[in-house]
């Protein structure tokens, strides 16, 4: 596929996968106002200006230009900063190339990305050029792991009391049920005629 003109009429189109084609212009997709997810990995998109037409799509949350697993990409992906520029161009995006950039899960992706880049910086110069690490900074504020005194409010105390009352009542019911079952078993074991089982 090289031309997307006929797709401009699809106003209700929500998900579109155009990966592994020969697309160099996304202009017609600017009219697909319901578009939420777009995969154009493996095409001929060479600049961010070619993506400017998507800026008016308020519902667009996911855009894929690069797919590492399928070995699909676009020429625009060759620039290292295309993802941050894409985030600036389309601030409503929640996922770029399958990775969360905002919303639930984005903090984990950012943490992993930061960790990967710090490991690459540390190991890029060979084993002889590694510098000794500096003082490690704590991940959480001081005192986070210390046990805090339990705060008891009257609501919590009342809930705790009610829970214990219900728990005690359940134990008593369980004991009565055990007694009833054992009485029934004894009564059944005394009778020799199976047709005389009456409760």
């Amino acid at each position: 596929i090289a031309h997307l003109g006929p797709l401009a009429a699809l106003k209700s189109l929500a998900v579109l996968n155009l990966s592994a084609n020969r697309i160099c212009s996304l202009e017609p997709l600017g009219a697909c106002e319901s578009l939420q997810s777009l995969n154009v990995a493996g095409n001929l998109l060479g600049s961010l200006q070619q993506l400017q037409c998507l800026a008016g799509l308020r519902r667009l949350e996911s855009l894929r230009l690069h797919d590492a697993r399928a070995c699909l990409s676009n020429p625009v992906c060759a620039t290292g900063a295309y993802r941050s520029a894409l985030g600036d161009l389309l601030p409503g995006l929640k996922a770029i190339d399958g990775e969360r950039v905002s919303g639930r899960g984005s903090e984990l992706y950012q943490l992993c990305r930061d960790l990967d880049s710090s490991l690459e910086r540390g190991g890029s110069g060979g084993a002889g050029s590694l510098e000794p690490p500096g003082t490690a900074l704590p991940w959480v504020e001081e005192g986070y792991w210390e046990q805090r005194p339990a705060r008891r409010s009257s609501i919590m105390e009342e809930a705790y009391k009610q829970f214990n009352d219900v728990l005690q009542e359940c134990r008593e019911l369980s004991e009565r049920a055990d007694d009833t079952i054992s009485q029934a078993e004894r009564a059944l074991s005394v009778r020799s005629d199976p047709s005389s089982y009456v409760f």
Side-chain angles (χ1 to χ4, degrees):
I1 298 174
H3 302 289
L4 304 177
L7 297 178
L10 302 176
K11 304 291 184 195
S12 298
L13 183 65
V15 177
L16 183 58
N17 184 347
L18 292 167
S19 61
N21 284 292
R22 295 177 298 146
I23 299 166
C24 58
S25 172
L26 299 175
E27 284 294 327
L29 298 182
C32 298
E33 55 200 32
S34 297
L35 194 60
Q36 296 175 4
S37 177
L38 176 61
N39 183 352
V40 287
N43 281 284
L44 305 174
L45 301 169
S47 70
L48 288 173
Q49 287 77 19
Q50 292 173 304
L51 303 172
Q52 183 69 39
C53 61
L54 304 176
L57 299 177
R58 301 285 178 234
R59 294 184 180 174
L60 187 63
E61 294 181 347
S62 175
L63 178 62
R64 186 181 289 268
L65 296 169
H66 176 77
D67 188 342
R69 286 186 285 164
C71 297
L72 297 174
S73 193
N74 281 281
V76 69
C77 301
T79 61
Y82 86 94
R83 291 174 123 197
S84 60
L86 190 58
D88 293 339
L89 178 66
L90 304 168
L93 288 179
K94 293 183 179 175
I96 298 175
D97 297 338
E99 292 186 13
R100 300 288 285 182
V101 292
S102 70
R104 188 183 313 166
S106 61
E107 295 84 11
L108 177 61
Y109 274 113
Q110 185 61 43
L111 177 65
C112 292
R113 195 175 305 127
D114 292 346
L115 185 59
D116 285 345
S117 64
S118 69
L119 289 174
E120 287 171 4
R121 279 193 310 265
S124 61
S129 68
L130 288 178
E131 296 178 13
T135 305
L137 298 175
W139 288 22
V140 294
E141 63 254 5
E142 191 173 333
Y144 180 82
W145 299 109
E146 293 176 10
Q147 187 173 10
R148 294 183 178 101
R151 294 185 319 185
R152 289 208 135 180
S153 68
S154 59
I155 295 172
M156 288 298 294
E157 288 178 7
E158 180 62 27
Y160 186 72
K161 180 185 174 302
Q162 288 179 9
F163 175 77
N164 282 331
D165 291 345
V166 169
L167 187 60
Q168 182 60 35
E169 192 175 328
C170 288
R171 287 182 182 137
E172 291 170 4
L173 284 172
S174 177
E175 288 174 9
R176 286 198 314 213
D178 288 342
D179 289 342
T180 304
I181 290 171
S182 63
Q183 287 174 3
E185 286 175 345
R186 280 194 302 269
L188 291 175
S189 64
V190 171
R191 297 181 185 255
S192 58
D193 181 16
S195 63
S196 64
Y197 295 140
V198 178
F199 291 97

